C-alpha cells in the first residue's frame, strides 16, 4: 500500500560556519563566514519519502517541481519512488532552502517556496491503494486543501505543521489536529501549538488523540489519550555521532509512517524514529544516509 506525502521537493544549499548564533539581534550588520558550502536534495516531502523508501515502504510524494526539477524527478525514479503525483510547473523554479549550520547543531533556514506555492496545487489522487498520508510543511493554502481532500477520501493522515505552524489561526489548528490520526511536532512547536489552542500539553494531547513531541538527541515524548486526559511515554534518543542534523526530523517521520502503516504502537514507531534519526544525523545531507549499499543514491544535485 502507498503512503501519500504532501509537502515540498526542494534543493538545499547548506553553508557551514563556526558561529554560535548567540546575541543575533545585537549584531549589525549580521554576517557570518562560511568555511564550507554544499548542495543537497531536500524538501520535507522528498526527505520523508527517501526515509520511507529506505525502510521498504511505498512513498507517493504529492508535490510540485519547477523548470529545474528534472534532476530531482530522475533521482526519485532511481530510488524506486513514484513521481505520478508530482506536478510540473514550468514557469518557476523548484523550492529552495538556504541553511546556515552553526555551532552545536544550531541552524538558520531561509525557505523560498517556488513551485510549491504555485496554484492550482496538486490534488489528492483518487486511488484505492493509499493507506495513510502525512501533511508535511507546505504553504498554508495547500495544507488546508489537502486536509479537506483527505477527509473526503477517508484517508487517515498525520499532521506535521513544522515551520509552517505559525501561518495557521486557532480555528484551523484545532480542526487539523482533531481531523488527524496523530500530530507530530518538535519541542518548540508543541509549546506554540499549545499556546495557540490555549491548552497545556496534556490537554493538547487529549485533543489530538496521539501527540508525538520530538526532543532531538533526547528522544521523543509519546502522548496518548487516556479517558478524558492523556498519558506520556518517554522514548530515549539513540546516541549518534552528529555530522549534520539537517533532515533528522524528516527521517524520524519516515519511520513513523512506516510503523503506523504496519500497525505498530505509537511507542514502537517512536523507537524506530529515534534509530533512523540517529542514522541520518551521522551523515551529510538530509538524504545522504542509507540502510543498505543496494539502496544508496547519494550523488549531489
Amino acid at each position: 500500500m502507498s503512503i501519500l506525502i504532501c509537502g515540498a521537493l526542494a534543493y538545499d544549499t547548506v553553508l557551514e560556519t563556526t558561529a554560535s548564533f548567540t546575541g543575533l539581534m545585537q549584531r549589525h550588520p549580521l554576517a557570518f563566514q562560511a568555511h564550507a558550502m554544499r548542495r543537497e536534495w531536500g524538501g520535507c516531502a522528498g526527505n520523508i519519502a527517501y526515509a520511507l523508501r529506505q525502510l521498504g515502504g511505498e512513498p507517493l510524494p504529492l508535490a510540485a517541481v519547477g523548470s529545474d526539477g528534472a534532476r530531482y524527478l530522475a533521482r526519485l525514479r532511481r530510488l524506486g519512488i513514484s513521481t505520478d503525483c508530482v506536478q510540473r510547473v514550468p514557469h518557476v523554479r523548484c523550492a529552495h532552502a538556504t541553511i546556515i549550520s552553526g555551532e552545536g547543531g544550531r541552524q538558520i533556514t531561509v525557505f523560498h517556496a517556488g513551485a510549491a506555492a504555485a496554484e492550482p496545487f496538486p490534488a489528492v489522487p483518487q486511488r484505492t491503494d493509499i493507506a495513510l498520508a502525512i501533511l508535511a510543511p507546505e504553504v498554508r493554502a495547500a495544507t488546508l486543501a489537502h486536509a479537506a481532500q483527505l477527509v473526503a477520501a477517508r484517508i487517515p493522515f498525520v499532521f506535521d505543521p513544522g515551520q509552517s505552524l505559525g501561518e495557521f489561526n486557532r480555528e484551523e489548528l484545532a480542526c487539523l489536529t482533531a481531523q488527524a490520526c496523530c500530530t507530530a511536532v518538535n519541542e518548540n512547536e508543541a509549546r506554540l501549538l499549545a499556546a495557540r489552542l490555549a491548552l497545556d500539553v496534556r490537554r493538547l494531547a487529549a485533543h489530538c488523540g496521539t501527540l508525538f513531541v520530538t526532543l532531538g538527541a533526547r528522544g521523543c515524548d509519546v502522548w496518548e489519550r487516556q479517558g478524558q486526559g492523556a498519558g506520556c511515554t518517554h522514548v530515549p534518543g539513540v546516541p549518534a555521532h552528529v555530522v549534520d542534523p539537517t533532515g533528522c526530523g524528516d527521517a524520524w517521520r519516515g519511520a513513523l509512517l512506516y510503523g503506523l502503516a504496519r500497525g505498530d504502537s505509537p511507542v514502537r514507531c517512536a523507537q524506530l524514529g529515534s534509530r533512523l534519526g540517529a542514522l541520518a544525523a551521522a551523515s551529510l545531507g538530509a538524504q545522504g544516509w542509507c540502510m543498505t549499499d543496494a539502496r544508496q543514491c547519494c550523488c549531489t544535485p
Side-chain angles (χ1 to χ4, degrees):
M1 298 294 284
S2 298
I3 298 177
L4 192 70
I5 304 172
C6 306
L9 297 173
Y11 294 117
D12 291 349
T13 296
V14 183
L15 300 167
E16 297 181 10
T17 177
T18 57
S20 64
F21 299 152
T22 57
L24 291 185
M25 299 307 293
Q26 287 73 43
R27 296 181 58 177
H28 180 76
L30 185 61
F32 303 103
Q33 289 292 325
H35 59 79
M37 182 181 76
R38 63 182 190 277
R39 293 201 72 193
E40 305 283 358
W41 311 99
C44 291
N47 298 341
I48 295 171
Y50 179 85
L52 181 58
R53 187 59 180 157
Q54 288 291 307
L55 289 168
E58 294 295 331
L60 185 63
L62 183 69
V65 295
S67 57
D68 54 341
R71 292 170 299 161
Y72 212 141
L73 293 176
R75 171 180 168 76
L76 293 175
R77 295 179 186 125
R78 289 197 302 271
L79 291 166
I81 297 173
S82 172
T83 59
D84 291 350
C85 295
V86 178
Q87 179 172 283
R88 301 291 296 270
V89 184
H91 59 281
V92 295
R93 296 175 69 84
C94 286
H96 191 103
T98 299
I99 302 166
I100 306 173
S101 187
E103 189 179 75
R106 299 179 182 89
Q107 293 183 323
I108 296 174
T109 300
V110 179
F111 184 74
H112 174 64
E119 298 187 53
F121 305 115
V124 171
Q126 297 182 352
R127 293 172 46 155
T128 59
D129 65 328
I130 300 174
L132 180 66
I134 184 170
L135 292 178
E138 54 182 343
V139 297
R140 170 182 167 275
T143 295
L144 295 175
H146 291 151
Q149 293 163 10
L150 290 168
V151 170
R154 297 184 179 181
I155 298 172
F157 66 87
V158 177
F159 180 45
D160 169 28
Q163 63 268 25
S164 301
L165 193 153
E167 299 179 14
F168 300 96
N169 62 37
R170 179 177 178 178
E171 292 72 23
E172 291 165 344
L173 289 173
C175 183
L176 289 166
T177 49
Q179 291 174 332
C181 64
C182 61
T183 297
V185 290
N186 66 27
E187 197 170 10
N188 291 330
E189 293 158 1
R191 284 193 288 265
L192 177 58
L193 181 58
R196 282 292 182 88
L197 297 180
L199 299 170
D200 58 31
V201 176
R202 188 176 298 274
R203 292 169 60 206
L204 173 62
H207 169 77
C208 294
T210 302
L211 175 68
F212 297 91
V213 181
T214 57
L215 309 170
R218 292 181 286 124
C220 175
D221 283 342
V222 181
W223 292 85
E224 298 180 79
R225 183 183 294 145
Q226 295 177 356
Q228 298 299 312
C232 179
T233 302
H234 177 69
V235 175
V238 174
H241 173 62
V242 178
V243 174
D244 181 9
T246 308
C248 293
D250 293 332
W252 192 98
R253 282 150 178 78
L256 170 64
L257 294 173
Y258 181 76
L260 290 175
R262 292 197 310 176
D264 290 346
S265 70
V267 169
R268 286 185 62 86
C269 292
Q271 290 169 339
L272 180 59
S274 290
R275 292 198 293 271
L276 227 63
L279 182 62
S283 299
L284 283 175
Q287 299 177 31
W289 58 277
C290 64
M291 299 281 294
T292 65
D293 290 339
R295 288 281 178 91
Q296 190 169 14
C297 185
C298 300
C299 51
T300 58

